[in-house]
Amino acid sequence: MTEIFASSIYFGLALSIGIYVMAVFVNKRWNVAITTPLLLTTIGIIAVLLLFDIPYANYQNGAKYLYYFLVPATVCFAVPMYKQINMLGKYKWAIVASLVFGCAVSIATVALLCWAFGLSDIIRNSLASVSVTTAIAIGITKELGGIAAITVFAVIITGILGNAIGKQVCSILGLRNPVARGLAIGNSSHAMGTAKALEMGSIEGATSSLAIVISGLATAILAPLILWLFG
């Protein structure tokens, strides 16, 4: 019976949506970091595939249809930016400066940690764009000579963590200004984190959406320079 369901082209799609709906229900009942729908959905899908020994290819056969919604969903991030365009213009230089500095610190931190743990240059180059959205991160990794698969894995983990604990980290660090909160989340955990920022408020969502774009551009420019400095 399991093989029949797993071989269906709708299996991956139905499993993803079904587990996500349950995850949302759990999060509404127990609203804590570890019950974040994105985190629970990821864990749930992996658990089902492992428990019933279902090949990832079978799951992907149906789940791939979700990709069609990624582009319009990403474009929708422009809506909160448009609504807050006057506010964004007011803080434009502070926004650009903070995001460029944040990207530089992120890249330098990766380089230092890789050096401290004796990791190879290939691993370092693969992790340099860890806080950038996947499409841009892959391009940066290819230019740096890294491994795209490692980059994608790191970006996904970063996004999930940002979505799960981004709000709590902002509170711990004392970030109460909605502009600062949005920039911090968008700069560190790209689109997945921005989904959480949109839940926090319209200003957080707008600045986090903008951070995705500027951070991608800044990382593409700064990554080769900073990694060159670290040799």
Side-chain angles (χ1 to χ4, degrees):
M1 182 64 70
T2 301
E3 294 180 358
I4 295 176
F5 283 110
S7 61
S8 171
I9 61 172
Y10 303 109
F11 168 72
L13 182 62
L15 179 64
S16 300
I17 295 176
I19 292 182
Y20 180 77
V21 171
M22 289 188 290
V24 171
F25 173 79
V26 172
N27 181 253
K28 288 182 177 179
R29 189 72 178 272
W30 299 282
N31 187 11
V32 293
I34 60 174
T35 63
T36 299
L38 182 60
L39 177 61
L40 288 183
T41 302
T42 303
I43 295 174
I45 292 173
I46 294 174
V48 170
L49 297 183
L50 292 176
L51 181 62
F52 295 99
D53 195 24
I54 299 173
Y56 177 77
N58 288 35
Y59 165 76
Q60 179 66 9
N61 191 37
K64 64 184 179 183
Y65 296 110
L66 290 172
Y67 294 162
Y68 298 147
F69 297 97
L70 288 179
V71 173
T74 303
V75 172
C76 286
F77 285 149
V79 175
M81 282 195 294
Y82 176 76
K83 291 182 177 180
Q84 299 291 337
I85 190 67
N86 293 330
M87 181 276 298
L88 294 175
K90 180 180 179 181
Y91 297 104
K92 56 182 180 296
W93 296 119
I95 290 173
V96 172
S98 63
L99 292 177
V100 170
F101 180 76
C103 290
V105 170
S106 174
I107 299 167
T109 300
V110 168
L112 285 172
L113 288 175
C114 287
W115 172 79
F117 287 97
L119 301 179
S120 67
D121 289 347
I122 293 179
I123 301 298
R124 182 197 64 184
N125 295 344
S126 302
L127 297 176
S129 55
V130 66
S131 295
V132 180
T133 191
T134 306
I136 300 177
I138 291 175
I140 295 173
T141 295
K142 289 181 178 179
E143 291 297 322
L144 295 175
I147 301 173
I150 296 176
T151 302
V152 172
F153 175 78
V155 168
I156 291 174
I157 294 299
T158 302
I160 291 175
L161 287 175
N163 186 281
I165 63 175
K167 182 178 180 180
Q168 290 81 354
V169 171
C170 286
S171 298
I172 292 173
L173 296 177
L175 293 179
R176 294 180 175 81
N177 186 292
V179 175
R181 288 158 67 93
L183 291 176
I185 293 175
N187 196 17
S188 61
S189 50
H190 46 84
M192 294 184 188
T194 299
K196 173 59 68 174
L198 287 168
E199 296 178 8
M200 294 166 62
S202 58
I203 295 178
E204 287 91 336
T207 52
S208 185
S209 299
L210 181 60
I212 296 176
V213 179
I214 298 179
S215 296
L217 295 173
T219 301
I221 296 171
L222 294 174
L225 297 176
I226 294 176
L227 294 184
W228 175 76
L229 290 175
F230 279 91

